[in-house]
Amino acid sequence: QGCAQKYIVKNYFYYYLFKFSAALGEEIFYITFLPFTYWNIDHSVSRRMIIIWSIVMYIGQVSKDILKWPRPLSPPVVKLELRTDAEYGMPSTHAMAATAISFSFLTATMNQYEYPFELGLVAAFVFSMLVCLSRLYTGMHTVLDVIGGALISAVLLMLLYPAWDMIDHLLLTSPFCPLLSIVVPLVLCYNYPKLDYYSPTRGDTTTILGAGAGATVGFWLNNQYVAPAYTGENLQLGIPLITSKIVVVVLARFFVGIFVVLLTRQLMKSVVLGMLGYRYKFPIGDLEARRRLEVEVPYKFITYSSVGFSATVIVPLLHKLLGLM
C-alpha cells in the first residue's frame, strides 16, 4: 500500500472519462455542485440534497469500518488512486453519494419544475452509473461493493422520502435546530468506530458532517431572519428561459461564491490548526499529530462547518450586496 503500481494507458477516452467520473464522488464535486444548486437553482432542493447526502455518507462510512471488507487485491487489479486505498471497500461511498445526489435531485425537482421525467431519470441513472463504473475502472472496488453501495443508498432514499417535508420543516423552524445541528454530528464524529490503524474515513466523515452542520445552521438563520420558509428567487429550469443575462448572473454567483468558500476553507484551516497546534504542542506540518482524534475532529469539523455556513449565509448576502440576486 502507498506505492503506485505502474500501468500503461491504452484507451485515453475511458481513462479520462472514468477519472473524471470518479471525481464526481469527491470533495471537488460536493464543494461546487451543492452550493451551485443553492445559489442558482432552488434552496429547498439544495436543502434536501445536503441532508440526504450527509445521512447517506455517514451510514456508508461507518458501515465500511464496521464490516471491514478489504478492497480488491493489487495485483491482479491496477489501482489508480492511493489516498483511499487505506479505507475498507464495502460499501462504495462513491456509489452511495452518486445515487443519493442524482436521485434526490430528481425527486426534489420533478414536482416543482416542468421537464420530461424520462429525461431526468436517464440523467440520474447515467450520472450514478458513470461514478459506479469509475470505481471498477480505477480498481478501488469490487462489483459487489458498488452494487451494495447503490442499493443501500436507494433504500435510504425510499425510507427518508416520506419524511422529507417534515425534516425540512423542523430544520427551518425548530428553536433547537442550531444546537442539535452542531452537537449531534460532533457526538457522532467523536464516537466514530475505532480501527487498529489510521484510515481517512473518520476525517472524511467529519468533513461531511461538519459541512452539513454549518449549512443546516445557515438554513435556520435564513428562515428566521431573511425570509420565512426561505426558498429564494428560483431560476426555472428550461432552455427557453436561459438567456445571456441569466448565464452571466449564474456564472457571477458561482465564481463569487466559490472564491468565498475556498477562502473560508483556507483561512479556517490555518486558524484552527494554529490554535490546536498551540494547545497540543505540535507543528502545523506534523501529519501524524493532525490524525489524532483530539486534533482531527475539531480541525475538520470547525473548518467545514464554517464552509457550510459561509455558503448558505455569507455568500447569499454578498450576492445581494453585489446586485446578483
Side-chain angles (χ1 to χ4, degrees):
Q1 289 189 356
C3 298
Q5 185 176 344
K6 293 183 178 180
Y7 57 88
I8 298 174
V9 179
K10 295 182 178 180
N11 190 315
Y12 282 96
F13 174 77
Y14 287 136
Y15 178 77
Y16 288 113
L17 172 65
F18 290 124
K19 289 286 282 185
F20 172 78
S21 300
L24 297 178
E26 297 171 358
E27 181 184 355
I28 189 172
F29 175 72
Y30 305 143
I31 210 169
T32 53
F33 177 72
L34 294 177
F36 178 89
T37 305
Y38 189 77
W39 300 329
N40 290 305
I41 299 179
D42 191 303
H43 289 182
S44 64
V45 171
S46 181
R47 288 198 302 267
R48 285 162 170 76
M49 284 200 301
I50 289 172
I51 297 305
I52 292 294
W53 168 67
S54 301
I55 294 172
V56 165
M57 288 298 288
Y58 174 76
I59 291 174
Q61 295 284 78
V62 169
S63 298
K64 281 185 177 184
D65 288 343
I66 292 176
L67 294 174
K68 298 182 178 180
W69 286 21
R71 290 187 181 269
L73 293 176
S74 177
V77 304
V78 176
K79 295 185 177 180
L80 306 186
E81 297 177 13
L82 291 178
R83 179 184 177 276
T84 57
D85 195 29
E87 298 179 4
Y88 289 107
M90 172 62 108
S92 167
T93 46
H94 274 71
M96 292 183 72
T99 302
I101 288 176
S102 58
F103 284 93
S104 63
F105 183 82
L106 173 66
T107 52
T109 57
M110 64 183 182
N111 294 324
Q112 297 190 44
Y113 300 99
E114 291 185 5
Y115 62 87
F117 174 75
E118 295 78 8
L119 180 62
L121 183 62
V122 169
F125 180 79
V126 169
F127 178 89
S128 56
M129 183 59 66
L130 280 174
V131 176
C132 289
L133 290 176
S134 75
R135 307 316 288 157
L136 303 179
Y137 182 87
T138 55
M140 302 311 297
H141 285 287
T142 65
V143 174
L144 186 59
D145 295 342
V146 170
I147 293 176
L151 287 178
I152 292 171
S153 189
V155 170
L156 289 171
L157 276 173
M158 288 188 290
L159 292 175
L160 291 169
Y161 180 72
W164 271 21
D165 291 337
M166 180 187 69
I167 294 172
D168 191 51
H169 178 74
L170 288 174
L171 291 178
L172 293 176
T173 60
S174 172
F176 302 106
C177 173
L179 178 63
L180 293 177
S181 296
I182 299 298
V183 172
V184 172
L186 269 177
V187 170
L188 293 176
C189 292
Y190 275 108
N191 291 276
Y192 192 82
K194 293 179 173 60
L195 298 176
D196 296 331
Y197 66 94
Y198 178 78
S199 167
T201 48
R202 185 184 65 201
D204 291 345
T205 304
T206 305
T207 294
I208 293 164
L209 293 184
T216 302
V217 172
F219 299 152
W220 185 86
L221 284 173
N222 284 333
N223 184 68
Q224 298 297 317
Y225 300 106
V226 178
Y230 191 42
T231 55
E233 303 267 339
N234 299 333
L235 294 177
Q236 298 294 318
L237 298 178
I239 294 175
L241 295 179
I242 297 178
T243 65
S244 58
K245 181 179 179 181
I246 289 179
V247 170
V248 170
V249 170
V250 165
L251 290 176
R253 287 179 183 173
F254 176 72
F255 286 116
V256 167
I258 287 299
F259 174 78
V260 173
V261 164
L262 294 179
L263 181 63
T264 301
R265 184 179 68 167
Q266 190 58 43
L267 287 175
M268 293 307 298
K269 273 186 176 182
S270 300
V271 171
V272 176
L273 269 180
M275 294 175 64
L276 290 170
Y278 177 80
R279 168 67 177 83
Y280 294 107
K281 311 300 182 187
F282 67 87
I284 292 179
D286 187 343
L287 184 59
E288 289 302 316
R290 288 163 57 174
R291 289 175 171 177
R292 286 155 42 189
L293 174 67
E294 65 272 21
V295 174
E296 183 176 60
V297 170
Y299 150 54
K300 294 204 168 181
F301 191 87
I302 294 172
T303 297
Y304 283 91
S305 61
S306 301
V307 167
F309 183 84
S310 176
T312 54
V313 176
I314 306 300
V315 172
L317 288 175
L318 186 57
H319 286 165
K320 188 174 183 178
L321 288 173
L322 295 175
L324 298 174
M325 296 300 290

